[in-house]
Amino acid sequence: MIDTIFIERGVVNHSRTQSIKSKFKNPTIIEVDRYQEIFNKRSQNFRIQKQNPALILAKKHDNFVLPAPSGFGLASTRNFYFSHMYNCIYDCRYCFLQGMYSSANYVIFVNFEDFFDEIEQSIQVNGAQDLTFFSGYDCDSLAFENITGFAESILPLFKSYPKVDLEFRTKSVQLEPLKSGLPIANCIVAFSMMPEELAKRLDKKAPSIKRRINAIEKLAARGWPIGLRFDPLIYSKDWKQLYKGLLLEIMHRVPREAIHSISHGPLRYPKKMYQDITKLYPEELLFSLPMSENNGYVDYGVDVENEMAEFLIKNLKNYVEEAKVFQCVVQA
Ligand code: SF4
């Protein structure tokens, strides 16, 4: 667990800093001027730091809301994301964060209200139609909820804009505040999924697929719109059998009416990121499978990607209508 908390001097007395701090037992507190002093320090090793990450409480000053990267959105005309946290308490082997940041420490920006103001401004500027905001691009959006209370704070905002979608992307089975609150039709809880056999190997420290399906079942019964994210699709010798088993289990347990959307995307990295991640885990089986470089990206190649996507779509046919299924591909 976390035993060291770095706090920017400017937010030491912020009520959210105090509340987050109180959730930890006797942490060592170190005050800093800016979080970058710790987070962006050179010569850090993500893999070693991941074993005992520190928490950094900071204030974000700009860029609260950004256009979603290609391959992240669904059907909306305009997709945005925001990140109240950098890094994740889970440790998935394919996670792009480990190739993006040199530090595995967790940063939480305590000035949530500035995010909310900028989200509202984006809604005013873009019109409250066909907009989706994604929470959980630089972190898992619900995994640290019992510490941050971020989801609880943001839900009322989206409740007041029923035509604007909010997606929480998660692997967490920590279901509050959703389980005890009334569902909000435009707030989608989107779970990242893969066959249990693969998740056991790759989704380190994340809840098992069995627990995720249990969580989905509970939220669906409460009326929350559910997203299923098969992104990335992971290749293995018996992938067809594994994915078929997973889909059958989901179809059996989650009523189709609860499904807001299903998206899928291939495993794909920018070349430099792929090199950095494979350097961290040279022994990882995932990276020993044949992957090739295409236009600056490393992936399984278009034939395998298409075969996997078509397989998924075919097997979802009798479950949800085609319009609810989206392919998310980072354009090479
Ligand atoms: S849950 Fe998502 S953000 Fe967290 S480690 Fe896994 S892939 Fe990365």
Side-chain angles (χ1 to χ4, degrees):
M1 209 31 196
I2 286 157
D3 49 31
T4 304
I5 306 182
F6 294 92
I7 306 179
E8 281 187 355
R9 287 191 180 86
V11 297
V12 165
N13 296 319
H14 194 291
S15 59
R16 205 162 276 122
T17 301
Q18 297 301 323
S19 145
I20 291 174
K21 219 171 75 175
S22 72
K23 308 267 169 67
F24 299 94
K25 213 173 155 195
N26 299 325
T28 301
I29 303 290
I30 302 172
E31 291 188 15
V32 293
D33 284 328
R34 295 299 306 275
Y35 80 91
Q36 291 95 330
E37 294 164 31
I38 307 301
F39 195 66
N40 294 354
K41 230 193 307 186
R42 303 185 107 172
S43 336
Q44 304 192 80
N45 182 302
F46 190 97
R47 184 173 178 175
I48 294 171
Q49 213 169 63
K50 192 77 188 166
Q51 290 165 16
N52 188 24
L55 178 62
I56 306 171
L57 301 179
K59 177 174 178 177
K60 193 164 172 63
H61 294 269
D62 51 18
N63 295 327
F64 297 95
V65 177
L66 293 165
S70 95
F72 202 74
L74 299 177
S76 292
T77 316
R78 277 149 301 184
N79 297 297
F80 296 94
Y81 79 96
F82 50 85
S83 299
H84 69 290
M85 182 169 174
Y86 292 163
N87 274 329
C88 181
I89 62 171
Y90 306 139
D91 191 14
C92 307
R93 277 301 164 266
Y94 48 85
C95 181
F96 74 96
L97 294 177
Q98 57 198 344
M100 198 156 88
Y101 300 131
S102 52
S103 171
N105 290 330
Y106 311 135
V107 181
I108 296 173
F109 298 110
V110 296
N111 51 325
F112 295 174
E113 291 69 20
D114 291 327
F115 285 86
F116 305 160
D117 287 348
E118 203 164 305
I119 289 169
E120 284 208 275
Q121 280 166 26
S122 305
I123 295 172
Q124 311 301 341
V125 170
N126 290 286
Q129 292 277 355
D130 246 2
L131 282 181
T132 303
F133 289 82
F134 292 88
S135 171
Y137 180 71
D138 294 293
C139 62
D140 180 295
S141 56
L142 296 177
F144 226 37
E145 178 65 17
N146 58 345
I147 304 292
T148 68
F150 183 80
E152 189 173 17
S153 311
I154 203 172
L155 283 169
L157 168 65
F158 280 87
K159 198 172 174 188
S160 65
Y161 290 102
K163 294 208 162 105
V164 179
D165 285 346
L166 166 68
E167 174 175 312
F168 293 116
R169 193 166 293 193
T170 193
K171 291 187 175 110
S172 175
V173 296
Q174 128 53 53
L175 296 182
E176 292 302 342
L178 307 172
K179 207 172 103 198
S180 53
L182 287 175
I184 302 172
N186 55 318
C187 295
I188 299 115
V189 196
F191 285 83
S192 301
M193 305 296 281
M194 72 170 58
E196 188 82 89
E197 293 77 354
L198 298 175
K200 268 189 195 143
R201 231 181 59 211
L202 299 172
D203 285 358
K204 307 272 183 201
K205 300 187 188 166
S208 66
I209 295 298
K210 188 173 167 211
R211 293 180 68 212
R212 279 179 237 174
I213 294 178
N214 287 343
I216 294 171
E217 212 179 13
K218 283 188 192 129
L219 291 179
R222 289 284 299 159
W224 287 92
I226 300 297
L228 298 174
R229 306 288 172 251
F230 300 95
D231 187 2
L233 285 166
I234 301 287
Y235 188 84
S236 69
K237 197 165 48 81
D238 43 2
W239 67 269
K240 281 191 184 170
Q241 192 192 332
L242 296 181
Y243 274 95
K244 182 133 198 170
L246 171 65
L247 295 176
L248 285 174
E249 176 72 5
I250 291 172
M251 291 178 205
H252 176 63
R253 302 269 302 278
V254 185
R256 66 186 68 199
E257 307 76 50
I259 300 295
H260 167 273
S261 55
I262 297 180
S263 65
H264 58 95
L267 185 69
R268 177 176 279 197
Y269 298 97
K271 188 178 168 195
K272 169 80 173 70
M273 186 179 276
Y274 179 79
Q275 287 167 339
D276 289 346
I277 295 177
T278 47
K279 236 184 264 164
L280 287 175
Y281 298 101
E283 73 287 2
E284 174 54 55
L285 199 63
L286 174 71
F287 304 120
S288 65
L289 294 169
M291 292 181 86
S292 55
E293 191 194 327
N294 302 294
N295 298 322
Y297 281 81
V298 177
D299 54 36
Y300 293 139
V302 76
D303 292 346
V304 173
E305 286 181 357
N306 287 346
E307 190 188 1
M308 295 188 85
E310 280 160 23
F311 180 86
L312 197 82
I313 292 165
K314 190 170 138 216
N315 280 278
L316 287 168
K317 220 180 201 145
N318 296 325
Y319 184 45
V320 291
E321 54 270 39
E322 229 177 298
K324 286 189 175 181
V325 181
F326 302 91
Q327 184 167 28
C328 298
V329 182
V330 181
Q331 292 309 323

